[in-house]
């Protein structure tokens, strides 16, 4: 189904004993050194023949040495082995792995939308209303990203550009205050040492 509806696909492949044995038989010259996510590893490609062998799918293998005291792999104690199944033979191994890893950042966006902007509990029972709601909240998230960049410059470590909505509410929006009368005028007194006065545009 994936091959029918997509030009290129990148799928995390599960390890098994037969696949692990085949990977362990690869000669050392088949591996190339790479840096993925600030972590040194080695990459290699093999033709995947477990199903649809006529389609010549590609299995990109990433092996990372186990650090001393780290969790050992059951299949190969020396390395943590991860694989990506793809039909892309044009890209290099590191391009395939880096492209696949972009999935994680998109999943974090969906997690933020589900938990911070209400996508987890849509307001209506019809699709058109929910579509409008999702589009408006997606625009609101873009505004909030700009707003967090603005206030993170003044508030320092309390609010970062990557802060979730709960943290913004706790460290920016929630503040005790009192309206006081001075010289016949109403003044808003904030009982906090946060630098709200620095946010004037």
């Amino acid at each position: 189904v994936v091959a029918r509806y997509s030009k290129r696909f990148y799928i995390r492949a599960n390890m098994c004993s037969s696949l692990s044995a085949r990977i362990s038989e690869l000669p050392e010259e088949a591996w190339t050194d790479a840096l993925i996510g600030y972590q040194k590893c080695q990459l290699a490609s093999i033709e995947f023949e477990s199903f649809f062998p006529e389609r010549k799918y590609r299995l990109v293998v990433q092996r990372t040495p186990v650090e001393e005291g780290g969790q050992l792999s059951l299949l190969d104690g020396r390395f943590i082995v991860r694989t990506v199944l793809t039909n892309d033979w044009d890209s290099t191994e590191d391009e395939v792995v880096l492209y696949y890893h972009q999935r994680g950042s998109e999943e974090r966006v969906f997690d933020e939308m589900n938990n911070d902007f209400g996508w987890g509990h849509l307001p209506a029972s019809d699709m058109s209303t929910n579509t409008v709601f999702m589009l408006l909240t997606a625009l609101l998230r873009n505004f909030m990203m700009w707003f967090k960049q603005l206030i993170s410059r003044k508030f320092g470590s309390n609010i970062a550009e990557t802060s979730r909505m709960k943290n913004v509410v706790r460290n920016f929006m929630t503040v005790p205050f009192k309206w006081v009368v001075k010289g016949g005028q109403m003044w808003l007194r904030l009982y906090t040492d946060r630098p709200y006065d620095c946010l004037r545009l």
Side-chain angles (χ1 to χ4, degrees), residues 25-187:
E25 292 172 358
L26 287 173
E28 285 300 316
E29 57 267 19
W31 297 94
T32 57
D33 295 330
L35 188 66
I36 305 294
Y38 305 104
Q39 191 173 40
K40 292 182 179 179
C41 64
Q42 292 180 312
L43 302 172
S45 291
I46 60 175
E47 191 170 311
F48 188 75
E49 301 170 344
S50 295
F51 53 84
F52 303 120
E54 70 280 359
R55 299 187 183 180
K56 299 186 183 303
Y57 288 149
R58 176 189 187 187
L59 193 71
V60 177
V61 185
Q62 174 187 353
R63 70 177 188 182
T64 307
V66 177
E67 297 179 1
E68 187 175 349
Q71 184 176 359
L72 297 178
S73 169
L74 292 176
L75 300 175
D76 189 341
R78 298 174 301 157
F79 301 99
I80 298 173
V81 180
R82 300 180 180 91
T83 56
V84 177
L85 180 66
T86 181
N87 59 353
D88 182 2
W89 284 93
D90 299 324
S91 304
T92 61
E93 284 95 355
D94 56 340
E95 288 174 341
V96 170
V97 173
L98 289 171
Y99 184 81
Y100 176 80
H101 283 183
Q102 293 178 18
R103 172 190 59 88
S105 60
E106 296 305 317
E107 286 183 352
R108 284 192 291 273
V109 171
F110 278 103
D111 175 60
E112 184 179 352
M113 297 305 299
N114 285 335
N115 295 298
D116 294 354
F117 293 91
W119 281 20
H121 303 282
L122 295 175
S125 58
D126 62 292
M127 189 63 177
S128 57
T129 305
N130 288 336
T131 301
V132 173
F133 171 79
M134 295 173 78
L135 288 171
L136 289 176
T137 49
L139 290 172
L140 179 62
R141 178 185 177 271
N142 290 339
F143 169 76
M144 282 301 301
M145 290 176 63
W146 168 82
F147 185 68
K148 286 187 290 186
Q149 289 178 354
L150 178 69
I151 62 179
S152 64
R153 299 179 195 140
K154 306 297 182 181
F155 278 63
S157 60
N158 285 335
I159 299 177
E161 295 182 18
T162 56
S163 294
R164 298 291 292 265
M165 185 65 74
K166 185 187 297 185
N167 187 47
V168 174
V169 171
R170 183 176 61 246
N171 290 310
F172 181 79
M173 298 179 183
T174 304
V175 58
F177 71 93
K178 180 181 180 181
W179 288 101
V180 296
V181 179
K182 275 188 179 180
Q185 291 184 329
M186 297 287 291
W187 292 83

